[in-house]
Amino acid sequence: ADVISTVEFNQTGDLLATGDKGGRVVIFQRETEEAGEVGDSGEYNVYSTFQSHEPDFDYLKSLEIEEKINKIRWLPQQNAAHFLLSTNDKTVKLWKVSERDKRPEGYNLKDEEGRIKDVSTITSLRVPVLKPTDLMVEVRPRRVFANGHTYHINSISVNSDGETYLSADDLRINMWHLDITDRSFNIVDIKPANMEDLTEVITAAEFHPHHCHLFVYSSSKGTLRLCDMRASALCDRHTKLFEEPEDPGSRSFFSEIISSVSDVKFSHSGRYLLTRDYLTAKVWDLNMDKGPVETYQVHEYLRSKLCSLYENDCIFDKFECVWNSSDSVIMTGAYNSFFRMFDRETGRGVTLEAWRENSKPRAVLRTRRVYTGGKRRRGDVGVDSLDFTKKILHMAWHPEENIIAIAATNNLYIFQDRVNPDAQTQ
Amino acid sequence: MFPKGTKRKFSDSGEEAVCGGGGGGDQGPSAAPAPSPAAARTLSSSYSLQRQSLLDMSLIKLQLCHMLVEPNLCRSVLIANTVRQIQEEMTQDGTWQIMTQALAAAQCPADRLVATEVLCRQTEAAAAAAQAGQSPKPFSVSGLEEGYHSEEVVMDGDAEAEVAMSSLSPVSPQLSSASYLAGPFGMGPCWEDDEEDADCDEDEEEDSEECASEGEDAERHHLRADSRTGEQVFGTFEIKHPAPPPDPALEELFSDVDPSYYDLDTVLTGMQSTPKMGPYDLLESLSSHGPTALSSSATCRSDLNELDHIMEIIVGS
């Protein structure tokens, strides 16, 4: 139940939220730099922990509703408090995270412990004053957006307008207003009239970072659809369809499964899309729908193992992918606690490991390699000795600096690039 | 269809033939649809063995819905698409006809009927188990009967369907493949039936803005779903004789068995020899096949006991 299921930085990068399978959310806060204390600055410490979702039961279908947090998204900060959306399979919740470091003292009618005073003992009036107290972080649920989805929610995305957000399940995408919980607009519905005809589901969705009328959603068939909400109320017809023509030479029974897109992310610039399917990560230009502009092989050595990976269900693992702050580097996870980073300018990829035994705090991460033939180097890992239970599915990149957060089952790793804060980690 | 041992041995060596897409181009019959796909595919038996094992694996995956939580729809859809793809290929090869005919021919009438019943029972037991889960509801049991009766109607009254199905010629691959297609969906009743509810809501023109709010029609819909899946799976098999009147003992025997116990192979092959197997016999035959795909027979037994206990409570004995 401690398995981390989502990781997300807020817009400034000062806060990092993680959600787990047990429905808990843990928020980390970056320590601000103290004068002269360069060594400890920039570390993330626990700021608050709260139970976001509880296990639920659908009495009509006699099925449990998992409390696992599927996604967390922060709202842009508007005042002293922070707001985040967290969702499980069925319900989205808006949480307010606020600090309290003062409390009123000197009530007339209550004594210090809060008991009501006997009125006859009051001889004078005074004005209560605010006195500083220990910092308390309060987290309160502000909105509960329930009953919007029949199927399992896989994505939420806050719109750039700051007022709406979308939530996507396997067959439908709804748009909500942050203040209204009893109504949502259905903007995409791909459910066929006859469920027997169902061959494609929605796997991820995201709003454009700058254009509040555009959003993209990906499907299990490897297609991306860009939709413009100005065109019609129900965006069943895409504005643009991004699809890579299939290579007939490499067709197998697993072609469709490995083409299923597990995650889609707009670049910070809004010009590109990053997608992840089972074996590759692809960068698409919004202006070109004929195919990706860049394709990165994450673990091509698994292509010959697809049958076994189908048997043990690993082929259905959903890996996330992220951009760095300048859109020059992309990162995604793999097996054996490995994760990969690709430099878009050079096209080079590097494999890193998130595993406690092999790294001490503040040690430099060394690159790893999976042995696929040729000269074997020391430290290379053979394909057959990869641990498929150690999967890096969830990760996040700080919005401005080279700090990454990697979730490895129930551990969270935070890596920082101190040498070159503005360039890729070595 | 094929003994388990043989399958396993082949799968290690010949894996790349079917499974390896880009890398396995030079190993045996390539999966790549080269110039003459039909010719390329009617080739080695290892390829068709692999394809068959992939088909069986996929069908088992579809059946093994975890009853407690709704199964992942994306995964189910992808597996179903794989099954469909294999099926289409086998239909083009003509091996599909051979398989269904072998099925039909190899079994004597009573057995064939029971096999039909078993598979139908499977879907309804699955549906019942899906609805029942850990807290069984009365309507699921009656749903069983309702579905069974409607099967009967189709069997006796639908002479046309009988004729069409008994002449499983290459001309009508669509029919059998389409109905078999329905099979896996019928066998994966978890999300099928859920959708039924939502679907029916819309059909009945209730407020379908938020489909999650299903009304009191849910019960009827479950029954409808059961009878539908019963019909679909039923349509797969050749009917030579009308059904005997419903055997309540047989119904009860199968109604409390979790579908995860059914290995498709065992059903198709095991049923030939001993048609009137009980659920416990089925488990024996499963384990007697050696290391099987279902490695959880131990947990199946405890689940079986649990289900037994629950059924006792319902029946009130």
Side-chain angles (χ1 to χ4, degrees):
Chain A
D2 278 344
V3 174
I4 299 174
S5 49
T6 184
V7 188
E8 184 79 355
F9 280 100
N10 73 338
Q11 277 77 7
T12 59
D14 286 335
L15 295 175
L16 174 66
T18 63
D20 66 21
K21 253 185 97 176
R24 269 185 315 263
V25 172
V26 180
I27 305 178
F28 297 85
Q29 188 187 43
R30 192 173 186 193
E31 297 306 321
T32 48
E33 294 195 20
E34 308 262 314
E37 284 278 344
V38 182
D40 283 336
S41 70
E43 273 191 5
Y44 284 84
N45 296 318
V46 178
Y47 179 64
S48 173
T49 305
F50 62 97
Q51 186 76 30
S52 169
H53 286 74
E54 296 278 358
D56 205 349
F57 196 77
D58 183 337
Y59 295 96
L60 215 49
K61 300 175 195 171
S62 284
L63 291 170
E64 285 183 5
I65 300 173
E66 283 188 333
E67 68 274 29
K68 172 168 78 93
I69 308 294
N70 292 335
K71 281 286 183 311
I72 290 176
R73 289 286 182 264
W74 292 91
L75 266 55
Q77 192 176 8
Q78 287 175 330
N79 51 35
H82 299 274
F83 288 86
L84 63 79
L85 286 170
S86 69
T87 184
N88 69 346
D89 282 339
K90 298 283 184 181
T91 306
V92 185
K93 292 188 185 179
L94 176 69
W95 294 89
K96 177 178 177 182
V97 184
S98 49
E99 290 182 5
R100 190 201 290 235
D101 61 354
K102 296 180 186 43
R103 68 184 185 102
E105 272 179 34
Y107 283 103
N108 291 298
L109 296 175
K110 287 189 291 190
D111 65 14
E112 293 304 307
E113 277 84 47
R115 288 182 301 233
I116 307 289
K117 278 195 215 172
D118 185 2
V119 181
S120 55
T121 62
I122 300 172
T123 52
S124 61
L125 286 180
R126 56 188 172 163
V127 177
V129 291
L130 289 174
K131 291 250 170 74
T133 179
D134 292 334
L135 181 65
M136 267 197 320
V137 180
E138 290 181 334
V139 182
R140 291 224 167 82
R142 301 298 283 173
R143 306 268 188 275
V144 178
F145 304 92
N147 299 323
H149 290 277
T150 311
Y151 308 98
H152 293 339
I153 298 175
N154 52 53
S155 316
I156 46 175
S157 175
V158 183
N159 204 347
S160 51
D161 66 6
E163 288 186 350
T164 56
Y165 74 95
L166 65 75
S167 58
D169 67 27
D170 294 317
L171 297 178
R172 297 194 179 95
I173 302 181
N174 293 335
M175 188 169 95
W176 305 78
H177 190 284
L178 283 165
D179 291 335
I180 300 171
T181 59
D182 60 355
R183 251 177 304 149
S184 71
F185 288 101
N186 177 239
I187 51 179
V188 173
D189 188 341
I190 64 166
K191 183 179 170 196
N194 183 0
M195 278 303 281
E196 305 261 319
D197 300 333
L198 180 65
T199 56
E200 192 173 8
V201 299
I202 297 171
T203 51
E206 197 181 52
F207 267 121
H208 191 281
H210 310 308
H211 301 299
C212 57
H213 51 86
L214 286 179
F215 67 93
V216 71
Y217 70 91
S218 59
S219 82
S220 57
K221 286 203 170 162
T223 62
L224 304 169
R225 285 177 172 81
L226 184 72
C227 298
D228 189 332
M229 293 195 290
R230 298 171 301 186
S232 66
L234 188 62
C235 298
D236 274 356
R237 274 189 315 187
H238 51 263
T239 302
K240 268 200 171 178
L241 175 70
F242 297 83
E243 193 171 11
E244 184 172 21
E246 197 185 346
D247 172 19
S250 63
R251 177 140 184 79
S252 78
F253 287 117
F254 305 107
S255 296
E256 189 186 314
I257 299 179
I258 62 169
S259 72
S260 172
V261 175
S262 54
D263 193 17
V264 66
K265 293 267 173 37
F266 274 102
S267 64
H268 291 93
S269 61
R271 164 93 188 262
Y272 297 98
L273 281 168
L274 171 64
T275 61
R276 174 74 156 96
D277 51 63
Y278 192 62
L279 297 178
T280 70
K282 297 183 167 127
V283 174
W284 305 73
D285 185 330
L286 274 185
N287 302 319
M288 192 176 94
D289 52 6
K290 294 289 174 286
V293 290
E294 293 153 33
T295 301
Y296 300 96
Q297 303 296 336
V298 180
H299 37 205
E300 178 68 13
Y301 45 79
L302 294 184
R303 193 179 285 272
S304 53
K305 308 273 172 208
L306 290 179
C307 207
S308 321
L309 294 166
Y310 179 70
E311 193 168 356
N312 63 18
D313 268 8
C314 279
I315 207 174
F316 301 108
D317 286 336
K318 293 196 191 306
F319 293 95
E320 288 173 12
C321 51
V322 291
W323 295 90
N324 75 336
S325 50
S326 56
D327 297 337
S328 58
V329 177
I330 61 164
M331 180 171 72
T332 187
Y335 293 107
N336 208 64
S337 306
F338 288 165
F339 58 100
R340 304 265 279 146
M341 271 194 212
F342 296 95
D343 182 330
R344 289 183 62 210
E345 274 147 61
T346 63
R348 263 187 54 229
V350 74
T351 305
L352 299 164
E353 189 179 20
W355 181 235
R356 203 180 331 166
E357 305 285 326
N358 296 349
S359 55
K360 308 185 212 17
R362 301 181 202 290
V364 174
L365 266 185
R366 53 178 191 38
T367 61
R368 303 303 311 270
R369 217 170 74 119
V370 177
Y371 176 67
T372 51
K375 189 169 166 212
R376 188 167 186 144
R377 284 192 240 143
R378 193 151 60 101
D380 278 4
V381 181
V383 181
D384 292 318
S385 37
L386 290 174
D387 188 341
F388 290 96
T389 60
K390 299 206 184 86
K391 20 192 144 197
I392 307 286
L393 302 171
H394 312 290
M395 50 185 34
W397 200 308
H398 191 286
E400 275 145 34
E401 298 180 34
N402 277 353
I403 303 173
I404 55 177
I406 311 278
T409 322
N410 41 7
N411 292 320
L412 179 72
Y413 291 85
I414 300 179
F415 300 109
Q416 301 186 21
D417 186 354
R418 292 194 188 277
V419 178
N420 298 309
D422 298 322
Q424 153 190 10
T425 48
Q426 294 306 307
Chain B
M1 187 135 275
F2 299 103
K4 280 280 176 198
T6 312
K7 231 190 279 189
R8 289 259 167 241
K9 198 170 64 151
F10 269 100
S11 69
D12 288 338
S13 55
E15 213 175 84
E16 277 75 5
V18 167
C19 309
D26 51 349
Q27 289 175 351
S30 163
S36 53
R41 283 194 223 110
T42 28
L43 9 81
S44 96
S45 57
S46 87
Y47 175 82
S48 43
L49 264 177
Q50 281 320 293
R51 189 173 57 184
Q52 185 62 44
S53 104
L54 192 61
L55 178 66
D56 293 340
M57 205 198 308
S58 306
L59 289 171
I60 291 171
K61 278 182 187 296
L62 280 176
Q63 289 173 41
L64 283 170
C65 301
H66 295 286
M67 297 306 172
L68 230 46
V69 187
E70 268 178 275
N72 189 339
L73 185 64
C74 183
R75 177 177 171 270
S76 305
V77 166
L78 288 173
I79 298 173
N81 287 350
T82 308
V83 168
R84 207 193 297 250
Q85 200 186 330
I86 297 176
Q87 203 191 317
E88 271 167 19
E89 209 182 270
M90 287 176 85
T91 309
Q92 280 172 15
D93 281 356
T95 47
W96 190 256
Q97 306 313 318
I98 298 170
M99 187 175 97
T100 45
Q101 273 167 2
L103 231 71
Q107 295 168 341
C108 65
D111 291 329
R112 194 182 311 132
L113 229 39
V114 177
T116 308
E117 273 174 22
V118 164
L119 268 172
C120 298
R121 211 31 87 240
Q122 214 171 321
T123 62
E124 282 155 36
Q131 308 319 321
Q134 297 300 325
S135 49
K137 300 211 162 68
F139 72 73
S140 63
V141 177
S142 59
L144 234 51
E145 265 132 49
E146 167 108 359
Y148 190 78
H149 288 308
S150 70
E151 267 171 69
E152 260 202 335
V153 168
V154 174
M155 279 164 107
D156 292 336
D158 203 339
E160 228 180 71
E162 267 188 32
V163 169
M165 278 176 249
S166 56
S167 63
L168 271 177
S169 59
V171 179
S172 60
Q174 258 59 33
L175 174 67
S176 51
S177 55
S179 46
Y180 191 79
L181 238 188
F185 284 84
M187 287 180 207
C190 311
W191 54 267
E192 157 88 67
D193 288 344
D194 294 341
E195 301 1 320
E196 274 299 313
D197 297 340
D199 237 339
C200 296
D201 265 346
E202 278 151 37
D203 291 344
E204 316 251 300
E205 287 168 18
E206 288 176 11
D207 179 20
S208 60
E209 278 309 300
E210 268 118 25
C211 296
S213 52
E214 291 127 17
E216 61 279 2
D217 294 316
E219 265 202 34
R220 267 211 330 265
H221 301 163
H222 286 304
L223 302 184
R224 215 176 105 177
D226 288 343
S227 56
R228 267 192 62 190
T229 54
E231 278 169 51
Q232 288 149 7
V233 177
F234 171 79
T236 310
F237 292 89
E238 220 177 296
I239 316 306
K240 289 266 159 76
H241 301 271
D247 185 352
L250 197 60
E251 262 179 57
E252 246 176 70
L253 210 55
F254 286 103
S255 65
D256 58 359
V257 175
D258 192 295
S260 60
Y261 305 146
Y262 288 100
D263 181 330
L264 194 64
D265 278 355
T266 311
V267 164
L268 296 174
T269 56
M271 294 313 288
Q272 284 174 263
S273 40
T274 50
K276 299 277 182 194
M277 273 168 138
Y280 296 98
D281 297 330
L282 214 49
L283 268 181
E284 313 289 312
S285 72
L286 265 181
S287 43
S288 72
H289 270 115
T292 64
L294 289 172
S295 53
S296 56
S297 50
T299 52
C300 284
R301 270 185 209 271
S302 60
D303 289 347
L304 185 60
N305 290 334
E306 249 183 78
L307 271 164
D308 264 357
H309 178 62
I310 291 168
M311 282 311 293
E312 271 173 25
I313 296 173
I314 300 178
V315 171
S317 60

